[in-house]
Structures are given as structure tokens and as C-alpha cells.
Amino acid sequence: MNPETAHKVTLWGLRLAEKMRVLPLVMGKVPSDPVEILGMKFPNRVGLAAGMDKEADTVNAFGQAGFGFVEVGTLTPRPQPGNEKPRLFRLIPQKAIINRMGFNNEGIAAGVENIRSATRFRGVLGVNIGKNKITPNEDAAQDYLACLRAAWPVADYIAINFSSPNTPGLRDLQAAEPAARLLASLKSEQSNLAAETGRHVPIFMKVAPDVTDEHIAELSRVFLDEGLDGLIATNTTLSRAGVEANPRHEEAGGLSGAPLT
Ligand SMILES: Cc1cc2nc3c(=O)[nH]c(=O)nc-3n(C[C@H](O)[C@H](O)[C@H](O)COP(=O)(O)O)c2cc1C
């Protein structure tokens, strides 16, 4: 089956199985192994990374399947179609995937509405946010701030995706100066929202793996100076190390799976 169709069918099947309450029978019992991080109580250590449930419409099902947390998104302020298909490729012998989805999503408002209806989910809910493709990098902070405000009431944590390789120029925001500017505006809005709502929602920056030691040192300094709550490591890689034997390694996009691990 075409990989993107398989993805859609899987999500559809999970939603159906959840409605019929059969997932625990198929998945078996998930051992309880609670962890507390920054006040968030994770029922276990296994979570679902961003990009699987982009629209947040399958949260109940992933919860019933046993995931301790689900990170939905990436969601952007306005809906956008993402890149042209095909945009998802399997590299089966290498246990890897290349994707260049490009933040296909129905927009943050639709995502938030879906999260609100996921009333049976008991795990930790992360909302991963990004900027629209048409938003220039100079205005990127406005996109992230709009999503931060929209996601605040429904999120246990918020992940800032500034490391996807599939939105042109996005990774430029990871240079020390733009990263510091972006994080400063996010932290300031986080304080405003916490004061308004009486609730603190931690902000995590999701970083790319394609960084030099020097860049890691610079970013670490920025994150410490700005008081970042946490890091998510990592997004997909532009490297093709370990998959050169597969003709699909020439597809543009981010590589994930075994070679990245
Ligand atoms: C098809 C696909 C779509 C993805 N979409 C997103 C996304 O929208 N936002 C994001 O932050 N990461 C996205 N990712 C990256 C994953 O969240 C994860 O960081 C990456 O796949 C590395 O982990 P893994 O090797 O365990 O898959 C995507 C990955 C894949 C394979």
C-alpha cells in the first residue's frame, strides 16, 4: 500500500477500534511505570512523537493503545496542504523513512477543537506548533505566538518545531540569534498566559540532529539564558549515512528510524 494511504488507514482503523473498545485486547496490558517531569505525570515512558497524529483526531485511540503521552501536530496558524505527493518513502531494509510532508494540517483551531473532544485520553498531551510556509522568517514569532495562545488551554506541554527540514528556511531559526529572539518572545508570552490563567504550561524546543558541537554549545547557552523548560531531541536528519545503498536515499526530506537512532 502507498505509505501515506497506509498512514491514513492506520489512523482510521485505530479510531474505529477505540470506539469498539477492542484496543486493550489487541495491545495487551501496558505496565504502569509513572514518571513525573515538570509537574506532568506520565503514566509510562513510551510516547508518540509529532507527525503521526498531526490533526489530533486520534488521541483517544493512541491513549487506549497504551501510549503514556501523545504529541500532536505540527499545527500551524492557518490550514495548509503541505508538499506535493508523493512525500513519504519507506526504506525497508534500512528500517528507515524519508518524509517531506511539509506541515500538512487543518490549522491550530481545528486541532484544538479535536483535542477538546478527546475526553477519554488520560495521558500527557503535547501540542507541537510551527509556522505556515508562506510566513517569512522575520514574522515567524507571530505564528508561534498565535499557536501558543490557541494551544495553551488544552496542552500539557508545547513543543516548538523549528527544526523540520521540510519548510524552506525553517532551520535558519536555529542559529543562536534568531533562536534567542524567538525563545525570548515565547517565554514572555508564557509568563503572560500563566498570569492570566493561573496555569504554567512548559515549553520545549525540538531540535535538529544536524548540529555541530559548536552550535550545540551556542544553543545550550541561549536555552539556559532564556530559561527554556526542556528540549526534544531530535527531529529528522538530512544525513543519508547508513542508507546510501537504497536508491530512495536520493529523495529530498528528513530521514528517521534506525539510522537516526
Ligand atoms: C512521516 C513523518 C512525519 C513527521 N512529522 C513531524 C511533524 O509534523 N513535526 C515534528 O516535529 N516532527 C515530525 N516528524 C519527526 C518525528 O516526530 C521524530 O522526531 C522523528 O521521526 C525521529 O524519531 P524516529 O526516528 O523515532 O521516528 C515526522 C516524522 C515522520 C516519519
Side-chain angles (χ1 to χ4, degrees):
M1 193 187 288
N2 162 287
E4 195 167 336
T5 309
H7 185 140
K8 282 207 184 105
V9 170
T10 301
L11 292 182
W12 173 82
L14 278 166
R15 286 193 296 269
L16 184 68
E18 194 265 341
K19 286 209 179 84
M20 297 167 69
R21 303 287 195 278
V22 295
L23 278 171
L25 305 176
V26 185
M27 305 299 290
K29 194 170 158 31
V30 178
S32 165
D33 178 19
V35 195
E36 189 171 331
I37 300 169
L38 295 170
M40 294 178 284
K41 295 186 177 70
F42 293 77
N44 64 63
R45 294 163 193 263
V46 180
L48 184 72
M52 184 73 193
D53 190 5
K54 282 181 187 271
E55 314 288 359
D57 57 9
T58 313
V59 173
N60 281 333
F62 283 113
Q64 201 183 93
F67 284 97
F69 72 90
V70 174
E71 186 173 312
V72 301
T74 296
L75 291 158
T76 55
R78 288 161 299 280
Q80 61 177 34
N83 291 323
E84 235 172 82
K85 296 176 189 172
R87 52 192 180 179
L88 182 56
F89 307 90
R90 302 184 183 106
L91 290 77
I92 292 172
Q94 289 80 22
K95 298 189 165 64
I97 288 175
I98 291 174
N99 94 81
R100 51 168 180 269
M101 305 300 289
F103 295 171
N104 52 306
N105 79 108
E106 294 295 329
I108 187 80
V112 166
E113 207 165 297
N114 286 339
I115 297 166
R116 285 193 193 283
S117 50
T119 51
R120 289 187 292 281
F121 182 64
R122 295 285 165 268
V124 169
L125 199 284
V127 181
N128 180 307
I129 60 176
K131 76 163 193 74
N132 279 109
K133 184 179 179 180
I134 55 162
T135 305
N137 272 4
E138 304 86 79
D139 303 333
Q142 293 315 316
D143 276 18
Y144 287 103
L145 290 172
C147 290
L148 179 70
R149 286 190 283 266
W152 188 272
V154 297
D156 293 316
Y157 73 85
I158 291 175
I160 309 301
N161 183 1
F162 69 149
S163 51
S164 165
N166 300 316
T167 294
L170 190 76
R171 284 181 169 199
D172 296 344
L173 296 173
Q174 287 191 122
E177 259 179 47
R181 272 200 303 276
L182 175 61
L183 187 50
S185 8
L186 289 164
K187 287 301 289 187
S188 146
E189 189 62 18
Q190 181 189 36
S191 309
N192 295 341
L193 288 165
E196 255 171 54
T197 59
R199 202 175 141 251
H200 176 81
V201 180
I203 294 179
F204 296 157
M205 301 293 266
K206 181 163 176 178
V207 292
D210 309 316
V211 278
T212 59
D213 287 352
E214 195 188 352
H215 192 181
I216 292 176
E218 281 174 5
L219 274 181
S220 304
R221 175 52 50 209
V222 168
F223 292 161
L224 289 170
D225 286 350
E226 299 294 339
L228 178 64
D229 300 299
L231 273 183
I232 298 177
T234 67
N235 218 312
T236 55
T237 179
L238 291 171
S239 160
R240 293 296 183 263
V243 300
E244 301 91 334
N246 194 315
R248 288 199 180 131
H249 81 273
E250 287 187 9
E251 292 292 349
L255 176 78
S256 58
L260 175 61
T261 306

